[in-house]
Amino acid sequence: MFPNKLLSSTMATISPLLSVKPTRGLVDEKIQIIVRNVPPRFPVTLHSLFHSEDKDYWEAFGHYTSDNRGTVTVSEHASVGGTYEGTEPMGLLWSMHPAPGSRTGLRLRKMNVLTPMVVHISVYSGHVTEGFSKQSPLATVDIERWYLAPGVRRIDIRDEEVKGTLFIPPGPGPFPGVLDLWGGGGGLVEYRSALLASHGFVSMALEYISTEKNRASNLHIKYFEKAFRIVQEHPLVMKDSVALFGLSLGTSITLHMAAYSKAVSPRCCVCVSGMTDTELNTNYIFKGGRILGGVIWKDIMLPIPTDPGLKVDMGRIKCPVILIVGEDDQNLAAVESAEDLTQMMRAAGNEHLLTTFRYPGAGHLIEPPYTPHVRASKFMVHQTGEKVTMLWGGYPKPHASAQEDSWEKILRFLQQHLYPSQDSVPKAKL
Amino acid sequence: MTERAPSPLLLIHPSRGLIDEKFSVIVQHLPPFIEITLHALIHSDDGDLWEAFGHYVSDATGLVNVDSNASLGGTYDGLEPMGLLWSMRPVPGSRLGLRLRKKEVNTPVVVTISVYRGHMGQGFNEQTALASVVAERWYMAPGVRRLDITEAGVTGTLFLPSGPGPFPALLDLWGGGGGLVEYRSALLASHGFASLALEYMTPRTSGDSTSHVGNEYFEAAFTLLKQHPQVCGDRIAIVGLSFGASVALGMAVYSTVIQPRCLVCVSCSHVQPVKGSLSDVFADISKNAQNTRYDEENRVIWRDLLLPIPTDPTKKVDMGKLPCPVLLIVGEDDQNWPATESAEDMKQMMEKAGNSHLLTTLSYPGTGHLIEPPYSPHVRVSNFMMTQTRQKILVLWGGDTAPHSHAQEDSWKKTITFLEEHLYRTTSVTSQSQL
């Protein structure tokens, strides 16, 4: 991939020392990058490169100038150009984008969580903006980014109709549990559950919108209740400490279950980028057409209906809820929906259960931190079989900040509510 | 089903680290003010179990953090964030004289860290832990490449850092135990040095079990490094421990082929027949075999075999002729080699000759002979196989666990800094390093 141009020792007047720590980290762990031993006040480019499972190349870069000691410390020095600017310790990861010449509409998702993402971090001489593959870097360090901590077990769940993957932390337990629901993109997406298990939660990633031809989607509430029970009844799970975690359509399902299910009762709910529509079968969304070369679904859902029959009755919610909203969400009317559901809870007297975090400039896909943001990507509309380019919204820097901050708040929320405390009255305050 | 109490949350960070990286161990969601034991367990490549443990008390919020809480007892005590690793010892009932050495460097050392209720001292395998996690400790960073070397008559393993290179390089020489020991080189490559772990003591290398390799073997190894396309030929150093350090000193002074930029000599002596080969060194030592002493448990103390330090200049390396900087690492409780006496004599020789500005000595009280990369267990005694007779004996290395472990941590850090200073700086350094 790199032409192996070897610098002869007479040419090698610059031998920088590039260190990245940790060399093997979890996806949500920060890295420290330090370049030493370049000349003082010398321009360098820090570059990251990742070859995805789909065989695409993603990269990011920042332009720096070394200090008087010939050092660049990414956590302290500002990037003056590149795919990110300013003092951004994690910029080389979250600002990655497909390398020039790549296919369009890509999204970076790790489907095999048993292996790490391997990222090559390099330092180049000068302020380089393109042609990284044609130059030899001064130094390169490889790092691994894992969704799975050592000792976490991965178990396929094919229990009657339920299809999912269960992740169990190491140790004797018992542990709190999470049922992890992604959105309308469907399929079985494991990485968030793997990461939750690496933080001490038994977590099941559930498939409910099938991407296989011979398997039907199942949006019936009984399907989710069955899945919830699988987590709850696992011998290593504390049965009164199981949460629901939803993103997008997964949020609708989460709120629906929390309000209406007679069979299961989540201890708390995490709702990311979602709405309160009651129709678990989302056929009504597909009346929309293409707009501006992509698909923007947000406006199709507005205005929020006033008819309570079309929304989850938030007054029936009895457990703490954390709501994460990107203010530039172009996929769902998340902001308007958040306001509406807050009012519903206020009117019902249970608003104390709700904690909302709104992030300006963040889009729809608010995921675990330090992975690249995409403003739009290719999306398969399963119900119609169409492939469209979906506009998710958000801008790289504010979206990355939202991912970092919301993940930390979500973990703290889950810990606070899923570990029994002296005070048994659930509080949503963090 | 009765509801069990929740498992406290035990977090190790990083969960996958290099051998010389620190980690944090935090336990949360414990009841407040309870006694717990933190326990670490390794199942070695040889099938033995090693363990360490520390006694703690949770604070008012139910938290224990080894970075800020002191251990009240166990295999280590006090504020010792890495005590769970360096204070490990074989579990009760293990074979005698064990030493923990990783042979397979492509895989990590897997450590199971657990929390137990109460202050326990034994019987860990009979109790259920409150929580348990797994940490990996690696000698090789991602991207480091391992290459078998069998050319030019040289047997060894070369580790190359990730990246295009070229890199400064190290010739890595272990001691009289022989064999091909790779882990230090793997770790040095993870710090940016191409490192050749050299096998030179075993019969396979020299073809005949009673003879040793000649000086030309080391020169061939050095030349191989120098000519390697991914090595900066003028930036090669030698890292040696024990016998390996003796070889390093002799070669640096007397060989016209071996011209290292600097030397790191751990637990060594300059006492050897001048311009002698390895065979000569062994022969000389054997002559003093009657100086072997034994401790109260009949374990072998070999430090006197090279004592007293000779005044005859033909019997020791002429340190006044050493052309490059040397970092000398000395354990003051070394029971295997007279490292302290040798260091003192080397210093005097260099002061007399006017090149003592090249010498940096790190001397550690309570520290034995086997000064290795940090956070792996210290052993005061272990089995040793005599290369010639194949006899197994118990050798006393010396050192007490806590000071020896601190010495490993401190000397390793200073070794890396010293090597970076002399091998990565663009101008050659001849003054004493500022460590």
Side-chain angles (χ1 to χ4, degrees), chain A residues 7 13 15 17 23-24 29 36-37 136-137 140-142 144 146 148-150 170-174 199 235 238-239 415 419-420, chain B residues 3-7 9 13 15-16 21 29 128-134 136 138 140-143 162-164 166 420 424 426:
Chain A
L7 300 169
T13 51
S15 315
L17 274 159
T23 46
R24 294 177 177 89
E29 278 175 1
R36 286 179 294 142
N37 212 50
S136 197
T140 301
V141 164
D142 292 348
E144 293 178 355
W146 289 82
L148 207 66
H199 284 275
M238 295 187 285
K239 64 176 168 51
Q415 283 214 27
Y419 281 89
Chain B
E3 190 63 51
R4 279 186 285 160
S7 166
L9 186 59
H13 173 81
S15 48
R16 294 177 177 91
E21 275 176 1
H29 302 293
T128 306
L130 295 176
S132 197
V133 292
V134 175
E136 292 178 0
W138 290 80
M140 268 173 81
S162 57
E420 285 178 354
Y424 267 94
T426 49

Side-chain angles (χ1 to χ4, degrees), chain B residues 179-203:
Chain B
L180 182 46
V181 182
E182 298 186 354
Y183 56 83
R184 189 169 61 191
S185 278
L187 196 55
L188 287 164
S190 303
H191 284 275
F193 303 97
S195 188
L196 176 62
L198 189 68
E199 184 174 340
Y200 67 93
M201 277 287 199
T202 44

Side-chain angles (χ1 to χ4, degrees), chain A residues 142-350:
Chain A
D142 292 348
I143 63 169
E144 293 178 355
R145 307 291 289 165
W146 289 82
Y147 279 102
L148 207 66
V152 172
R153 284 177 289 155
R154 178 188 173 281
I155 299 174
D156 289 311
I157 299 293
R158 303 289 185 269
D159 182 320
E160 296 174 10
E161 311 138 33
V162 173
K163 180 178 172 189
T165 312
L166 193 62
F167 290 92
I168 303 181
F175 307 102
V178 176
L179 179 62
D180 178 24
L181 306 170
W182 285 90
L188 183 47
V189 182
E190 300 184 355
Y191 57 84
R192 190 168 61 194
S193 279
L195 201 52
L196 286 167
S198 303
H199 284 275
F201 303 97
V202 168
S203 185
M204 181 155 88
L206 181 70
E207 177 174 308
Y208 60 95
I209 292 182
S210 171
T211 48
E212 294 166 50
K213 285 200 166 64
N214 55 0
R215 194 188 152 83
S217 297
N218 193 338
L219 288 151
H220 198 283
I221 195 172
K222 283 205 171 4
Y223 179 74
F224 300 97
E225 289 171 342
K226 212 171 256 186
F228 188 95
R229 281 243 187 71
I230 289 174
V231 177
Q232 190 177 43
E233 289 167 10
H234 192 283
L236 292 181
V237 171
M238 295 187 285
K239 64 176 168 51
D240 292 330
S241 298
V242 182
L244 283 170
F245 192 136
L247 178 135
S248 193
L249 184 52
T251 287
S252 308
I253 295 163
T254 293
L255 292 173
H256 196 91
M257 283 180 63
Y260 300 116
S261 173
K262 294 184 176 44
V264 303
S265 191
R267 188 83 172 82
C268 62
C269 295
V270 178
C271 298
V272 183
S273 302
M275 295 179 64
T276 55
D277 55 303
T278 56
E279 303 240 303
L280 295 185
N281 154 1
T282 54
N283 277 334
Y284 78 90
I285 290 177
F286 306 102
K287 295 177 201 146
R290 287 171 201 275
I291 302 170
L292 301 170
V295 173
I296 304 174
W297 279 350
K298 181 183 88 162
D299 298 331
I300 300 161
M301 297 161 199
L302 290 172
I304 305 285
T306 45
D307 176 357
L310 291 173
K311 305 184 283 193
V312 169
D313 180 0
M314 295 299 293
R316 296 172 62 101
I317 302 277
K318 292 182 181 48
C319 66
V321 174
I322 183 173
L323 195 63
I324 307 290
V325 177
E327 290 184 354
D328 193 50
D329 190 332
Q330 296 297 321
N331 187 249
L332 299 184
V335 171
E336 291 83 351
S337 186
E339 282 163 3
D340 186 66
L341 76 83
T342 306
Q343 281 177 32
M344 271 199 268
M345 291 179 85
R346 189 172 297 150
N350 65 348

